[in-house]
Amino acid sequence: MKIVDVVITPIAFRDPPLLNSTGVHEPLVLRCVVQLVLENGIVGLGECPGGAAETSRLVRAAQVVKGMDVFATTAARQAVHRALGGAAVRVEERDSAWAPLEVAALDAQGKLVGRPVCDLLGGAVRAAVPFSGYLFYKWAEHPALDGHPAQSDAWGPALDPDGVVVQARRLIDGYGFGSLKLKGGVFPPEEEIAAIRALARAFPGLPLRIDPNAAWTVATSQRVARELTGVLEYLEDPAPGLDGMAQVARSTSIPLATNMVVSNLTHLSPAVAQDAVQVLLLDHHLWGGLRRSRDLALLCQAFGIGLSMHSNSHLGISLAAMVHLAASVPELAYACDTHYPWNAADDVVRPGVLRFVDGAVPVPTGPGLGVELDEVVLTELHQAYLDAGRERRDDTGYMRRVVPDYDATLPRW
């Protein structure tokens, strides 16, 4: 069955002022929705990060797959890599352009044969996929800029341990999460240690994680690890670089997790050689799709590396793909990350299929991804993208519009 068209729709949707090690989330997230059209009219869906550079690569990749058999995904990936080849294009960028096309192809395949995507990946080994509540330090509102009024949200501020605990309680009450992750690297480590300890007191026995996104030096990472031994489930990307992570790993019993220092297959061997990483966060958007991520899980099992799943701001097409992947990976031992509660109000998929039950998302049982595109919402979000006139995500630039002397240099502490 041939692919006759690929429709790429850039979109923008609302995001709260969530803080991280390089700044703060802007009021709108940039994303792309992919519709892969087969000759019989079946449409497969994909979703990926947006921005001018990302969209340009995706458009080039989409031209390559037109006319190819929807089941020939290995050949299609090779063709995309050739088309996006050259020293100026990193393998992660080529894989990121291919990933939403592969997801859309698998969605279309599933619709053709009447089976869910997880069955195309070997079948589900779990009926529901557990997720971790994703906590952020955040402002109470997006400030008034460029003549636009301030934009508040129902979540309120979280700028100290008490605010983080209030946010966590709301996520647990609303979604039933059985573990929590705090995005750190925002305040001095002592304050973030205090927040983790406050969470441990408020939710005894709940697995906890923190991810400062390489905002700490090796020495600081080692000190934080000492203070939080016995408290953290794992510590994610505390220090910059593979060597830095290896130094921290040698000094603590807390598993170190990453989505930063291992982002393609060439990074895996040195990470294993140095025992720098004990948990890898899968991300099909970065690693080139669902099947490549499934293969990566087998490699991690061979090297004794645990698995969780990375998240960036996303909507329901990506969540459905994440769930199908996680359902088919027996080696996944940790709850997955997801930003979905922060962005679900603008979802482009029709409600009813994706839901959280006791912190887990039941695997959709319909054909393909099992979700249906809401064309009205898609049109609205595409118009929001056009009106915004933005070309890339810029957390640091946005922060500097509010705090002009903000220094994004890492490590910071």
Side-chain angles (χ1 to χ4, degrees):
M1 185 66 65
K2 285 187 178 181
I3 301 165
V4 297
D5 197 12
V6 180
V7 181
I8 297 166
T9 308
I11 61 174
F13 55 89
R14 293 171 293 176
D15 209 15
L18 307 177
L19 300 165
N20 57 51
S21 68
T22 58
V24 61
H25 287 205
E26 296 171 275
L28 291 173
V29 179
L30 302 181
R31 204 87 175 155
C32 281
V33 170
V34 171
Q35 297 176 77
L36 185 147
V37 184
L38 303 187
E39 56 187 316
N40 66 350
I42 283 179
V43 177
L45 301 176
E47 177 192 333
C48 63
E54 293 85 352
T55 303
S56 175
R57 287 192 294 269
L58 180 56
V59 168
R60 290 164 59 194
Q63 294 301 315
V64 173
V65 305
K66 288 182 184 179
M68 298 188 73
D69 188 327
V70 71
F71 286 95
T73 53
T74 301
R77 177 181 178 273
Q78 290 177 323
V80 166
H81 270 239
R82 286 194 298 270
L84 298 180
V89 182
R90 297 182 298 115
V91 65
E92 292 93 340
E93 293 173 337
R94 284 175 275 167
D95 274 340
S96 295
W98 163 243
L101 297 173
E102 189 231 33
V103 170
L106 289 170
D107 185 34
Q109 290 176 24
K111 291 171 179 175
L112 276 170
V113 301
R115 302 297 291 266
V117 163
C118 60
D119 284 1
L120 304 179
L121 300 175
V125 296
R126 50 183 65 89
V129 173
F131 285 86
S132 184
Y134 210 150
L135 307 175
F136 287 86
Y137 292 107
K138 70 178 290 292
W139 294 336
E141 60 186 14
H142 283 288
L145 291 170
D146 299 330
H148 297 291
Q151 301 176 39
S152 60
D153 58 69
W155 291 90
L159 297 170
D160 56 25
D162 288 343
V164 170
V165 169
V166 168
Q167 185 185 106
R169 196 172 301 281
R170 177 171 177 173
L171 280 171
I172 290 172
D173 289 347
Y175 295 88
F177 292 120
S179 63
L180 296 169
K181 170 179 169 175
L182 174 63
K183 179 65 76 177
V186 176
F187 296 114
E190 292 74 19
E191 296 182 34
E192 298 185 353
I193 290 171
I196 291 294
R197 292 196 178 281
L199 290 169
R201 290 192 298 270
F203 309 101
L206 211 66
L208 302 175
R209 317 162 183 176
I210 186 170
D211 173 17
N213 283 128
W216 303 335
T217 64
V218 168
T220 298
S221 300
Q222 291 169 332
R223 175 169 59 84
V224 173
R226 284 195 299 271
E227 295 200 32
L228 293 179
T229 296
V231 180
L232 290 179
E233 179 183 33
Y234 63 64
L235 175 58
E236 182 180 341
D237 284 311
L242 192 61
D243 291 342
M245 291 282 285
Q247 291 182 64
V248 178
R250 287 193 291 270
S251 67
T252 181
S253 60
I254 301 174
L256 297 194
T258 189
N259 74 285
M260 295 176 67
V261 300
V262 179
S263 59
N264 68 55
L265 286 177
T266 66
H267 300 155
L268 190 57
S269 178
V272 170
Q274 297 189 59
D275 194 21
V277 174
Q278 291 74 51
V279 180
L280 184 64
L281 276 66
L282 294 175
D283 188 333
H284 74 271
H285 304 90
L286 179 66
W287 282 88
L290 304 183
R291 288 200 172 108
R292 295 277 290 182
S293 298
R294 183 66 189 83
D295 292 344
L296 178 63
L298 294 175
L299 288 174
C300 288
Q301 181 187 41
F303 291 116
I305 297 174
L307 289 175
S308 182
M309 188 175 286
H310 174 251
S311 168
N312 209 320
S313 301
H314 65 87
L315 297 177
I317 298 171
S318 280
L319 179 61
M322 293 164 67
V323 169
H324 281 284
L325 172 61
S328 70
V329 177
E331 301 83 6
L332 195 86
Y334 297 92
C336 303
D337 291 347
T338 181
H339 286 62
Y340 190 70
W342 297 104
N343 306 120
D346 285 337
D347 205 354
V348 291
V349 303
R350 297 187 184 279
V353 173
L354 298 173
R355 65 192 191 281
F356 285 81
V357 180
D358 297 328
V361 177
V363 182
T365 57
L369 293 174
V371 296
E372 182 182 356
L373 184 66
D374 188 322
E375 296 281 359
V376 172
V377 175
L378 180 67
T379 299
E380 292 172 351
L381 298 187
H382 178 56
Q383 188 60 52
Y385 166 81
L386 296 174
D387 293 342
R390 281 180 45 221
E391 293 191 344
R392 64 187 181 94
R393 173 176 172 170
D394 186 6
D395 292 9
T396 301
Y398 183 51
M399 174 65 88
R400 285 175 178 158
R401 298 181 68 196
V402 182
V403 183
D405 61 350
Y406 178 75
D407 184 1
T409 304
L410 299 177
R412 187 168 297 124
W413 290 283

